[in-house]
Amino acid sequence: MTQSNFTPRVFSGIQPSGGLTLGNYLGAIKRFVDMQNVGDFETVYCMVDLHAITVWQDPEKLRHNTRELAAGFIASGISPEKSILINQSAVPEHAQLAWIFNCVARMGWMGRMTQFKDKAGKNAENSSLGLFGYPALMAADILVYHATHVPVGEDQKQHLELTRDIATKFNHDYGVDFFPLTEPVIEGAATRVMSLRDGSKKMSKSDPSDASRINMTDDADTIAKKIRKAKTDPDALPSEIEGLKDRPEARNLVNIYAGLNDQTVEQVLADVGGQQFGTFKPALAELAVAKLAPISSDMARLMSDPTEIDRLLAKGALQAREITAPILKKTYEIVGLVGN
Ligand code: TYM
């Protein structure tokens, strides 16, 4: 069965394991909004709370972070009218299909996942079984919707390859053409936003240094200050992309500018080539504040009414289950599970 046999459907998720960063925004959410608005797809966006608990989460903080992430989605332009917005645990078919996929995926595949190795570190024996099986749940998130496209940042590429491997093995083992081979969508100028303090490290909510990242809840002054202090080199900006080679910090700031302004890196360099950082950084700070401050103030407004957020998520879960329940039922039939 080819992709064209499936309804064009986008699924993507973000962990509510801390605040949202500019990396999440440019690498993921902003592109979720674009894919929602082109109108070519059904779009489903998810707070993956079951993934978050693969490492310890304080329950009170998890509740707060999940609602704040929902607020971040909506404030960034995800419309609960146009997209299905859900919390993963509220749609039980994700975890149910994940169990089937735990029985399809191989230990060796999981052991090769770089994100598991990074997160488990030297202490793999002591990490949760859930952290090891994390990519099977991620494959279930996607395939329980028969999603055809998944927008993500660069760091999720390996997990999406594994999702295709799981779909292929399931289809092959059971002699069916049931699950699609989902396309990763890793596009745009900012698929890998780097730390503002070290251009060789990914911008991350788990970095101990708050100055390394822009949080979506940062106010205008904080955003501007972090950009002013971002690590750079002493040279002027080049006019051509080749001039950014071996200049990871410069490249990162140009990528961020391009991502925020919906431009290509080439277009940005054509405008700013020759500028010193003393000129470029204030322009970037102004752009970042113009784009991000309205989102952070809207998030704060939405967070003042958590009951409304919960209502939207409950509505999303009902819509989602109309898609997921029949796909799970059919999967059970294929596998030979009876009485469902
Ligand atoms: P998570 O929560 O780590 O990140 C959410 C999304 O943000 C992107 N991202 C970045 N993009 C560019 N630069 C960065 N510095 C940066 N940091 C994060 C990530 O690539 C991701 O797209 N496993 C996933 C969550 C997940 C999922 C799914 C995603 C669970 N099920 C199904 C897609 C489909 C994760 O941990 O993302």
Side-chain angles (χ1 to χ4, degrees):
M1 198 185 274
T2 59
Q3 287 297 102
S4 56
N5 292 93
F6 293 90
T7 305
R9 188 175 287 144
V10 169
F11 178 92
S12 201
I14 298 189
Q15 296 191 64
S17 51
L20 276 173
T21 69
L22 180 65
N24 297 133
Y25 178 67
L26 291 178
I29 299 189
K30 188 163 185 296
R31 297 182 33 262
F32 299 175
V33 177
D34 294 342
M35 292 189 91
Q36 166 192 271
N37 291 343
V38 286
D40 294 344
F41 304 97
E42 283 181 25
T43 44
V44 185
Y45 298 121
C46 184
M47 279 74 72
V48 290
D49 56 350
L50 298 176
H51 277 113
I53 61 166
T54 57
V55 299
W56 169 251
Q57 303 293 327
D58 174 79
E60 199 45 54
K61 284 197 187 128
L62 179 61
R63 271 187 282 275
H64 172 86
N65 289 339
T66 304
R67 293 188 179 116
E68 189 176 79
L69 179 52
F73 274 130
I74 298 168
S76 303
I78 297 204
S79 150
E81 305 304 320
K82 292 189 193 161
S83 292
I84 299 179
L85 183 62
I86 49 160
N87 190 24
Q88 188 185 31
S89 59
V91 182
E93 290 80 11
H94 289 234
Q96 289 174 290
L97 185 61
W99 181 259
I100 306 278
F101 287 171
N102 279 340
C103 304
V104 173
R106 306 288 94 183
M107 298 275 284
W109 299 1
M110 299 294 173
R112 282 193 284 279
M113 293 294 112
T114 53
Q115 195 148 335
F116 173 73
K117 291 188 214 167
D118 290 348
K119 281 201 174 180
K122 292 198 180 68
N123 209 3
E125 286 288 306
N126 200 32
S127 38
S128 72
L129 193 53
L131 188 66
F132 191 65
Y134 180 116
L137 176 58
M138 181 159 161
D141 294 337
I142 296 165
L143 294 175
V144 80
Y145 294 89
H146 279 182
T148 53
H149 295 80
V150 180
V152 283
E154 180 69 43
D155 61 349
Q156 295 301 314
K157 193 166 177 223
Q158 196 186 28
H159 285 157
L160 293 184
E161 282 161 7
L162 188 101
T163 300
R164 291 167 68 99
D165 290 343
I166 289 178
T168 304
K169 183 162 163 50
F170 182 97
N171 287 344
H172 175 267
D173 288 355
Y174 291 101
V176 290
D177 276 324
F178 186 59
F179 287 116
L181 296 187
T182 305
E183 293 293 335
V185 186
I186 304 174
E187 282 168 9
T191 54
R192 189 169 174 81
V193 178
M194 307 309 279
S195 155
L196 298 178
R197 308 300 305 159
D198 176 353
S200 68
K201 272 175 39 189
K202 194 181 73 167
M203 182 181 285
S204 159
K205 51 194 149 199
S206 56
D207 192 312
S209 159
D210 192 58
S212 71
R213 64 179 159 264
I214 292 174
N215 304 301
M216 295 304 286
T217 46
D218 284 344
D219 61 21
D221 283 351
T222 313
I223 296 173
K225 195 159 107 207
K226 285 179 176 174
I227 291 178
R228 246 191 347 265
K229 291 200 166 162
K231 186 173 166 205
T232 43
D233 57 42
D235 296 338
L237 283 160
S239 311
E240 309 278 333
I241 261 189
E242 297 75 62
L244 290 173
K245 203 166 160 270
D246 303 323
R247 297 179 64 188
E249 283 84 13
R251 173 161 203 126
N252 189 36
L253 294 187
V254 173
N255 286 351
I256 291 174
Y257 192 103
L260 284 170
N261 218 21
D262 289 314
Q263 286 181 298
T264 63
V265 170
E266 286 85 348
Q267 287 169 332
V268 174
L269 291 179
D271 291 341
V272 305
Q275 279 182 13
Q276 295 293 337
F277 282 103
T279 311
F280 179 66
K281 278 181 167 180
L284 176 58
E286 196 181 323
L287 175 66
V289 168
K291 299 280 180 179
L292 303 179
I295 299 178
S296 84
S297 60
D298 210 30
M299 277 171 79
R301 182 186 62 76
L302 291 160
M303 281 302 279
S304 67
D305 189 358
T307 317
E308 174 61 8
I309 294 180
D310 291 356
R311 190 190 68 79
L312 291 171
L313 294 183
K315 183 188 100 168
L318 284 178
Q319 291 173 302
R321 297 194 73 185
E322 283 178 24
I323 304 173
T324 59
I327 291 177
L328 184 77
K329 190 168 172 13
K330 182 74 192 161
T331 310
Y332 277 12
E333 271 169 40
I334 292 170
V335 173
L337 308 178
V338 293
N340 291 284

